[in-house]
Amino acid sequence: MTGVEPDVLGPPFERYTIELDPDDEGPVVATLVRRRADSPTRRAVLYVHGFVDYFFQAHLAEYWTDRGWDFYALDLRKYGRSLLPHQTPNFCRDLGDYFPELDAAATFVRTSDDHDTLLVMGHSTGGLLAAVWAHARRDAGLVDGLLLNSPFFDINAPWLVRRPLAAAVTRLGRGTPHRVLPFGLGTVYGECLHADHRGEWRYDLSWKPLAGFPVRIGWLTAIRRAQRQLRAGLDIPVPVLVACSTRTFRRRRWHTSAMLADAVLDVAHMVRWAPRLGPQVTVARIDGGMHDLTLSGPAVREKVFAEIDRWVGSNLVGAGR
């Protein structure tokens, strides 16, 4: 972990670089962003972003710091602040590839920054990753709670596509993990978010392109492997909140209803597979929520944060200050 540096979000945000072992593309780093609460606290949140994403949600950090939690966000290897010129953006071969930076970040938050309560918050693919990592580290005492914001528990496609066809594609592509698949994310969700289109948010479009980065066979294989593990059942021993919208938007072109629904994943999948996470799972449905619930419209965001407040108050009572 390198020394602290100013972050692109400006003060009071700061960042550390996590030096990781090189892979077949060369040097690898991850980035840990920090925003401290105004008063010293023993409680911390570690945020993990989704696919075609990075941490830019300053208002989310302020929500937590206003409540007396230090906030940290991890830009995973090959994403956002951590993307190096020689790397394939957002690519991995297994979600376990990200465990070293999650381990390093959680250990730093707990030991170097001296917190005794750690809540991990994962969005979309980061929600799937946080779940399988929390399961793998369930005996390490690193995590006290898990908050999953529209987690990527299944592929948003008909059964024939997400099971037999996806299995065939990944099987045929074992020797060509970087091969680009002939489908993408589309621009609907990006249009809902970015202030240059129909949204209210500004972020770096080179790190989070409107139509996303190409989807590659190796990444799809990694996702399917983790999703199969989830469906078989995880054993996460801490309280888990799965939060998602009440509806899915399925059109390929933008419509006003996209602003009030999940335009990326099928919310029915999240609800269906949530009980496989462990014994203490709460599901919260947010009417009008977008895929990233915390980027929904102002009135809906208030509902999201109120639901988080209730869950934290009921499940992390006595968390150290």
Side-chain angles (χ1 to χ4, degrees):
M1 189 89 71
T2 65
V4 66
E5 300 174 306
D7 186 60
V8 295
L9 292 176
F13 290 93
E14 52 195 4
R15 69 179 184 184
Y16 293 85
T17 298
I18 303 172
E19 302 285 349
L20 299 163
D21 291 338
D23 66 7
D24 58 352
E25 292 187 324
V28 176
V29 299
T31 309
L32 185 65
V33 180
R34 180 174 68 183
R35 196 228 192 267
R36 292 187 184 274
D38 291 339
S39 300
T41 176
R42 303 294 297 276
R43 305 182 297 180
V45 174
L46 174 62
Y47 177 81
V48 186
H49 59 76
F51 182 57
V52 188
D53 207 357
Y54 73 101
F55 172 67
F56 62 91
Q57 299 92 332
H59 72 289
L60 177 61
E62 290 161 5
Y63 160 80
W64 286 106
T65 57
D66 286 348
R67 286 156 176 77
W69 295 67
D70 285 340
F71 181 87
Y72 299 77
L74 186 62
D75 272 16
L76 300 165
R77 65 185 69 197
K78 307 186 184 184
Y79 283 87
R81 299 164 177 80
S82 307
L83 179 62
L84 302 178
H86 61 275
Q87 293 177 327
T88 303
N90 301 182
F91 180 77
C92 74
R93 297 171 185 263
D94 189 279
L95 290 196
D97 294 349
Y98 301 121
F99 286 9
E101 52 256 52
L102 279 164
D103 291 341
T107 301
F108 177 83
V109 172
R110 279 207 174 267
T111 58
S112 297
D113 272 2
D114 195 25
H115 295 91
D116 55 26
T117 299
L118 176 60
L119 172 63
V120 176
M121 181 176 185
H123 168 57
S124 195
T125 303
L128 177 64
L129 168 59
V132 295
W133 173 76
H135 168 78
R137 302 294 185 261
R138 60 191 179 276
D139 296 325
L142 290 174
V143 180
D144 297 288
L146 199 62
L147 199 170
L148 307 182
N149 169 8
S150 304
F152 189 12
F153 286 169
D154 213 338
I155 296 168
N156 185 10
W159 181 85
L160 285 173
V161 175
R162 70 178 189 268
R163 295 294 185 270
L165 183 58
V169 167
T170 55
R171 185 167 57 250
L172 292 172
R174 284 174 182 164
T176 55
H178 285 86
R179 179 181 294 178
V180 175
L181 295 169
F183 59 80
L185 300 179
T187 63
V188 170
Y189 182 54
E191 290 180 54
C192 290
L193 296 184
H194 203 277
D196 287 347
H197 297 271
R198 308 171 196 273
E200 61 176 295
W201 308 103
R202 293 208 173 273
Y203 48 84
D204 191 331
L205 289 170
S206 66
W207 287 348
K208 184 177 173 62
L210 204 66
F213 292 109
V215 177
R216 299 175 186 273
I217 287 178
W219 178 85
L220 179 61
T221 301
I223 293 299
R224 292 189 68 250
R225 184 181 298 120
Q227 289 175 344
R228 287 197 304 271
Q229 183 184 5
L230 167 68
R231 292 196 299 272
L234 304 181
D235 183 20
I236 300 172
V238 299
V240 182
L241 174 64
V242 175
C244 63
S245 183
T246 55
R247 61 182 70 90
T248 300
F249 178 84
R250 301 187 184 281
R251 303 184 189 185
R252 297 296 296 174
R253 294 185 178 181
W254 191 87
H255 184 271
T256 54
S257 59
M259 303 290 289
L260 299 170
D262 193 319
V264 178
L265 299 179
D266 189 332
V267 296
H269 295 156
M270 304 172 201
V271 175
R272 178 181 181 184
W273 299 117
R276 302 295 178 92
L277 292 164
Q280 303 178 65
V281 180
T282 302
V283 175
R285 308 291 297 273
I286 308 296
D287 189 35
M290 291 201 294
H291 178 53
D292 186 338
L293 296 169
T294 70
L295 300 181
S296 303
V300 178
R301 287 202 300 274
E302 289 185 14
K303 298 178 190 176
V304 173
F305 292 138
E307 192 64 46
I308 293 173
D309 284 341
R310 283 193 292 271
W311 179 80
V312 169
S314 297
N315 291 275
L316 294 176
V317 176
R321 293 187 68 87

